[in-house]
Amino acid sequence: MKLNTNSNTYTMLYATGVVVIVAFLLAFAYAALKDRSDANERIDKKQQILAALNIRNLDKSDVEAKYKEVVMQDKVVDAQGNVKDEGTDKDKAGFTIDRKDIGADNLPIYICEVDGKKKFVLPMVGKGLWGGIWGFVALDDDGQTVFGSYFSHESETAGLGSLIKEQKFQDAFVGKQAYSADGNAALKVVKSGAVQDAEHEVDGITGATLTSNGVRDMITEYLSLYKTYLSKK
């Protein structure tokens, strides 16, 4: 029996066949590339943590070794200062927590050692002008002085809000104090050129007020969440 290629039945069968084949190919490609994608995400996250520790511009092949050298634990704590997981196995506690799952009851914290000195790296997430922003702030062993920082974004405006990803902006945080004398989160981003408290304030990005405010709010929120643990360290 000859199939009528002009019939609706033929068209539906043909379209269904194409959809099934494409779906199969996409599923196969996803499965084949997933391991590579996961590995790239892992390396990228570790590069960001290292950048907050002022360790930058490493070849990808060197990232894992350097990370293993300087990151001692990936603890999980809560806003009451309780330690939920010591993270001594590395990469199996705080590191596994997705950004969307970070919150008051689920706070990763990386205990690091750089040049023989202890550092705390605090992950944080927030919202910029067009989408999510996130970062890592590294503090010295005093739990107060900023050793380094790294910030990034999903979709901020090129040449404006996207500049939070630039080292020039991030370096401005180095040496600032995270908390005020009364223990409240005090590190903040202010309007460009409006810094009055050099101990705690950083110039925002000109023309990117909402993104700068997003970084400010994110830092305030997460320093407040981590402060009890840091005070008990």
Side-chain angles (χ1 to χ4, degrees):
M1 177 180 175
K2 187 176 179 180
L3 187 62
N4 182 2
T5 57
N6 294 318
S7 69
N8 290 336
T9 300
Y10 175 84
T11 301
M12 292 178 63
L13 289 173
Y14 181 84
T16 301
V18 170
V19 169
V20 169
I21 292 170
V22 170
F24 173 80
L25 291 174
L26 288 174
F28 177 81
Y30 173 79
L33 297 174
K34 187 177 187 306
D35 287 346
R36 181 182 297 180
S37 176
D38 289 347
N40 286 337
E41 287 183 13
R42 177 187 180 89
I43 292 294
D44 185 54
K45 184 174 181 178
K46 290 188 174 184
Q47 283 181 312
Q48 294 180 28
I49 294 168
L50 290 172
L53 293 165
N54 302 314
I55 302 170
R56 300 173 183 258
N57 303 317
L58 293 175
D59 289 336
K60 281 194 173 183
S61 59
D62 298 327
V63 171
E64 288 280 10
K66 191 64 178 179
Y67 183 90
K68 184 177 181 180
E69 175 189 331
V70 302
V71 179
M72 305 295 107
Q73 297 169 256
D74 59 326
K75 287 188 176 185
V76 181
V77 304
D78 63 24
Q80 288 71 50
N82 302 308
V83 177
K84 302 174 67 176
D85 193 320
E86 289 286 352
T88 51
D89 290 335
K90 293 189 184 183
D91 295 7
K92 297 179 181 178
F95 189 82
T96 66
I97 297 174
D98 192 89
R99 283 197 298 268
K100 63 181 176 59
D101 297 320
I102 297 176
D105 295 321
N106 209 34
L107 296 166
I109 183 167
Y110 299 87
I111 313 301
C112 309
E113 188 174 297
V114 178
D115 296 329
K117 297 180 180 178
K118 190 175 185 180
K119 311 293 178 187
F120 301 97
V121 177
L122 316 179
M124 46 191 67
V125 292
K127 185 171 177 57
L129 173 60
W130 301 114
I133 57 175
W134 63 90
F136 298 91
V137 173
L139 302 179
D140 284 335
D141 191 25
D142 60 4
Q144 167 74 297
T145 306
V146 178
F147 179 70
S149 70
Y150 178 86
F151 302 104
S152 193
H153 62 91
E154 289 177 356
S155 54
E156 297 307 291
T157 306
L160 294 173
S162 66
L163 296 179
I164 64 171
K165 196 173 180 178
E166 298 296 317
Q167 186 175 347
K168 180 180 178 181
F169 174 72
Q170 297 163 12
D171 283 350
F173 290 82
V174 176
K176 302 293 184 180
Q177 300 300 293
Y179 299 96
S180 60
D182 58 8
N184 290 321
L187 181 66
K188 64 178 64 176
V189 179
V190 299
K191 185 177 179 180
S192 182
V195 170
Q196 295 183 340
D197 178 2
E199 191 173 30
H200 300 104
E201 295 178 351
V202 173
D203 273 323
I205 297 168
T206 302
T209 300
L210 292 179
T211 305
S212 298
N213 289 348
V215 175
R216 177 200 64 198
D217 295 344
M218 174 177 71
I219 290 173
T220 298
E221 177 183 0
Y222 279 87
L223 286 181
S224 298
L225 292 175
Y226 282 108
K227 73 174 184 178
T228 302
Y229 170 81
L230 292 171
S231 69
K232 293 163 57 175
K233 61 179 177 56

